[in-house]
């Protein structure tokens, strides 16, 4: 590893919703990964990143970033054929977006 430790960046992203299916829609519920709960987790991750950045000085503003991919994923949350995993095209678009954001940040 040729870089310094303060060159390491951490990216935290929004969490995917999964469709309400056999396990998330059963009574009693078996799997709590419903869209509402997953959105709550994403909010908490984003809030944690904001707190880290606010408390870690100027350097922390560059080292920890939140990547919100919900604008790509949320419209397709219920399109999973297996009721869990996003279609390949959606995952690919998300990966391209995240790679673009990360590569642009490396140039900062």
């Amino acid at each position: 590893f040729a870089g310094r430790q303060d060159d390491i960046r951490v990216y935290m992203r929004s969490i995917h919703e999964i469709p309400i299916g056999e396990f998330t829609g059963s009574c009693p519920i078996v799997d709590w990964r419903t869209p509402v709960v997953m959105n709550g987790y994403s909010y908490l991750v984003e809030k944690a990143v904001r707190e880290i950045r606010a408390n870690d000085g100027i350097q922390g503003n560059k080292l920890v970033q939140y990547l919100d991919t919900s604008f790509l994923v949320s419209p397709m949350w219920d399109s999973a054929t297996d009721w869990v995993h996003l279609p390949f095209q959606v995952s690919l678009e998300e990966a391209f977006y995240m790679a673009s954001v990360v590569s642009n940040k490396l140039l900062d």
Side-chain angles (χ1 to χ4, degrees), residues 11-16 42 45 66-69 94 98:
Y11 294 90
M12 300 176 76
R13 70 165 174 82
S14 51
I15 301 170
H16 299 157
S42 289
V45 170
Y66 179 72
L67 292 178
D68 185 2
T69 61
E94 182 183 41
M98 291 187 329

Side-chain angles (χ1 to χ4, degrees), residues 44-57:
L44 293 175
V45 170
E46 184 178 15
K47 182 178 176 185
V49 169
R50 282 195 314 265
E51 289 177 10
I52 290 167
R53 291 178 62 168
N55 295 322
D56 201 20

Side-chain angles (χ1 to χ4, degrees), residues 23-65:
F23 297 110
T24 56
S26 65
C27 186
I29 196 164
V30 176
D31 187 340
W32 289 92
R33 294 178 296 165
T34 62
V36 172
V37 173
M38 293 297 95
N39 288 334
Y41 283 138
S42 289
Y43 169 78
L44 293 175
V45 170
E46 184 178 15
K47 182 178 176 185
V49 169
R50 282 195 314 265
E51 289 177 10
I52 290 167
R53 291 178 62 168
N55 295 322
D56 201 20
I58 295 171
Q59 189 65 15
N61 288 337
K62 290 186 178 181
L63 297 181
V64 180
Q65 301 286 325

Side-chain angles (χ1 to χ4, degrees), residues 45-102:
V45 170
E46 184 178 15
K47 182 178 176 185
V49 169
R50 282 195 314 265
E51 289 177 10
I52 290 167
R53 291 178 62 168
N55 295 322
D56 201 20
I58 295 171
Q59 189 65 15
N61 288 337
K62 290 186 178 181
L63 297 181
V64 180
Q65 301 286 325
Y66 179 72
L67 292 178
D68 185 2
T69 61
S70 61
F71 72 97
L72 291 168
V73 176
S74 291
M76 303 300 292
W77 71 274
D78 61 349
S79 64
T81 57
D82 65 356
W83 293 95
V84 177
H85 301 95
L86 291 170
F88 178 74
Q89 186 63 37
V90 178
S91 297
L92 190 62
E93 293 294 332
E94 182 183 41
F96 283 143
Y97 170 74
M98 291 187 329
S100 172
V101 169
V102 169

